[in-house]
Amino acid sequence: MLSLVYVSAATHPYSPQELDALLEKSRHNNTRDGISGMLIYRDGDFLQVLEGPEEAVRTAFARIAKDARHQRIMMLDESRIEQRAFGEWSMGFRRLNAADCPEGFVDFFNRNTDLAALVRQDGEAGQYLDSFRKLA
Ligand SMILES: Cc1cc2nc3c(=O)[nH]c(=O)nc-3n(C[C@H](O)[C@H](O)[C@H](O)COP(=O)(O)O)c2cc1C
């Protein structure tokens, strides 16, 4: 199986209703396609994990990457996995305020200006995702 992790910037601030509609569609499609994962929205930034059969994940990501509701999509991690980390969720979701964030998370997003450096820092994205799993 394949696991992808990316961050992106929303093209406008999302209302709770818009996020609900996005999640409903995503959960419907992901259940159909055997994809699990998690979506985090914080102050206009998205972070998403998609995991499942390689072809299904690549097809979903290609669709998501073309979506005009977000931009500046940056892949943080692409890994082959034996087991799902978010198997119970067709798309888990957290809307985070800075106060809810695990320690270090705000810095993680604030380094948007140099995400390429973040990608090179092996394992850092995974470390933050672990803290989100604990929050869920
Ligand atoms: C931040 C973000 C995350 C998304 N996540 C998913 C997802 O996990 N699965 C999915 O099918 N669509 C997701 N979408 C929506 C897709 O871009 C696209 O609109 C949708 O898959 C089209 O589905 P349809 O062909 O069934 O209408 C996401 C969109 C955004 C902006």
Side-chain angles (χ1 to χ4, degrees), residues 49-116:
V49 188
L50 297 164
E51 58 184 20
E54 174 158 359
E55 205 182 318
V57 169
R58 292 204 188 278
T59 302
F61 181 70
R63 218 166 50 224
I64 294 166
K66 281 192 291 195
D67 196 314
R69 291 174 288 182
H70 62 169
Q71 58 194 358
R72 290 197 279 125
I73 295 169
M74 167 76 74
M75 192 65 80
L76 292 185
D77 185 59
E78 177 173 333
S79 308
R80 289 183 194 289
I81 52 168
E82 296 292 324
Q83 281 188 334
R84 292 173 192 261
F86 298 94
E88 67 274 35
W89 288 327
S90 56
M91 193 44 61
F93 176 70
R94 294 282 297 188
R95 184 188 182 113
L96 290 179
N97 301 312
D100 299 329
C101 289
E103 207 178 325
F105 179 79
V106 175
D107 293 341
F108 176 73
F109 268 114
N110 285 349
R111 269 180 290 156
N112 260 350
T113 47
D114 193 11
L115 277 175

Side-chain angles (χ1 to χ4, degrees), residues 114-132:
D114 193 11
L115 277 175
L118 188 63
V119 179
R120 289 194 297 268
Q121 285 161 26
D122 232 16
E124 191 176 11
Q127 188 187 316
Y128 284 105
L129 291 170
D130 276 347
S131 49
F132 291 121

Side-chain angles (χ1 to χ4, degrees), residues 2 6 14 16 20 31 65 71 104 108 116 130 136:
L2 184 70
Y6 74 86
Y14 270 60
D20 282 348
T31 302
Q71 58 194 358
F108 176 73
D130 276 347

Side-chain angles (χ1 to χ4, degrees), residues 6 8 14 22 25-30 32-33 35 39 46-50 60 63-70 90-91:
Y6 74 86
S8 65
Y14 270 60
L22 177 63
K25 165 64 88 178
S26 299
R27 285 175 175 149
H28 173 86
N29 287 354
N30 294 351
R32 176 195 66 199
D33 300 336
I35 293 173
L39 179 68
F46 289 110
L47 185 152
Q48 187 169 34
V49 188
L50 297 164
R63 218 166 50 224
I64 294 166
K66 281 192 291 195
D67 196 314
R69 291 174 288 182
H70 62 169
S90 56
M91 193 44 61

